[in-house]
Amino acid sequence: MTQAEAASRLGVCGRTFRRYLSRYEQGGMEGLIDRRLMHVSYRRVPVDDEVMRLTEKYRGRHEEWSAKHLCAWYRKDGGARSYTWVKSRRQEAALVPQAKARGAHRKRRERSPWPELMIHQDGSRHEGVAGQKWDLIVTMDDATNEPYSMFFVEEEDTMSSLQGVREVIELLGLFS
């Protein structure tokens, strides 16, 4: 078996396989042990008095505080850790629940401040009668959610969108 075939079977590249081979030749099976797993990061903060003092102070006096306020207090009191570190210690100690992640694509935008300033149109598939599906085209006011036009079509297209716009123009008396 070639080195390339052996690397492929192990799921690593040829260079990594050659490194494994060199380490095996120098140290046998001991040479293949990943030594990174044996060392603790020099940046890791040990669970010590600092963590205990932070959690006890939070439990005793600052329970209503947000992570931002607690971090400001912690820094003012001589702490040198980051906001993320303070927030993580609170969550690890089960003092606050972790917030559900919010996707950037789900952020709500501001509504239009005045009625009739902006209209919104949407088309979605609905089953009105068993076995038959149509697209419901709705044109509505962004500020008030008032529907100006609603109708079913077989399939949403440019003409159905323009029909919704025409109905809104006629209803509101625009351009007359």
Side-chain angles (χ1 to χ4, degrees):
M1 180 183 304
T2 66
Q3 286 184 358
E5 291 170 340
S8 176
R9 281 200 178 170
L10 290 173
V12 296
C13 68
R15 184 175 181 200
T16 300
F17 180 78
R18 288 190 297 278
R19 285 182 178 158
Y20 286 157
L21 188 59
S22 174
R23 285 171 39 195
Y24 178 74
E25 289 171 351
Q26 290 176 0
M29 289 302 283
E30 290 289 318
L32 295 177
I33 295 173
D34 189 353
R35 305 223 183 273
R36 294 174 301 171
L37 301 176
M38 296 178 178
H39 300 288
V40 176
S41 171
Y42 68 92
R43 290 181 285 177
R44 184 179 174 144
V45 178
V47 177
D48 60 1
D49 295 334
E50 185 178 9
V51 176
M52 297 302 288
R53 186 172 63 98
L54 177 74
T55 55
E56 288 305 314
K57 192 82 158 179
Y58 181 79
R59 280 189 184 113
R61 181 171 174 212
H62 307 291
E63 283 195 38
E64 300 300 319
W65 287 17
S66 67
K68 188 174 183 179
H69 289 115
L70 184 64
C71 186
W73 161 81
Y74 167 77
R75 290 231 174 122
K76 187 180 87 177
D77 214 35
R81 306 287 176 203
S82 68
Y83 163 81
T84 304
W85 183 85
V86 171
K87 183 181 72 153
S88 297
R89 297 302 78 77
R90 281 187 351 158
Q91 290 172 349
E92 285 173 5
L95 299 173
V96 292
Q98 279 190 312
K100 185 178 161 192
R102 295 179 193 90
H105 66 288
R106 294 286 182 204
K107 290 188 178 171
R108 295 182 66 92
R109 64 171 175 75
E110 292 273 330
R111 289 222 175 246
S112 173
W114 299 289
E116 301 175 7
L117 181 66
M118 186 164 82
I119 61 170
H120 172 75
Q121 190 173 65
D122 186 37
S124 56
R125 179 85 63 200
H126 292 276
E127 188 171 350
V129 178
Q132 292 185 331
K133 292 188 176 187
W134 295 295
D135 287 348
L136 174 62
I137 309 299
V138 177
T139 309
M140 60 184 4
D141 189 297
D142 186 66
T144 63
N145 272 354
E146 179 184 346
Y148 291 143
S149 168
M150 292 191 294
F151 55 89
F152 285 104
V153 292
E154 282 192 41
E155 190 170 346
E156 179 183 15
D157 61 3
T158 305
M159 293 308 292
S160 63
S161 295
L162 291 174
Q163 179 183 341
V165 172
R166 188 187 77 231
E167 290 181 15
V168 170
I169 290 171
E170 290 172 0
L171 177 74
L172 297 178
L174 303 174
F175 310 114
S176 54

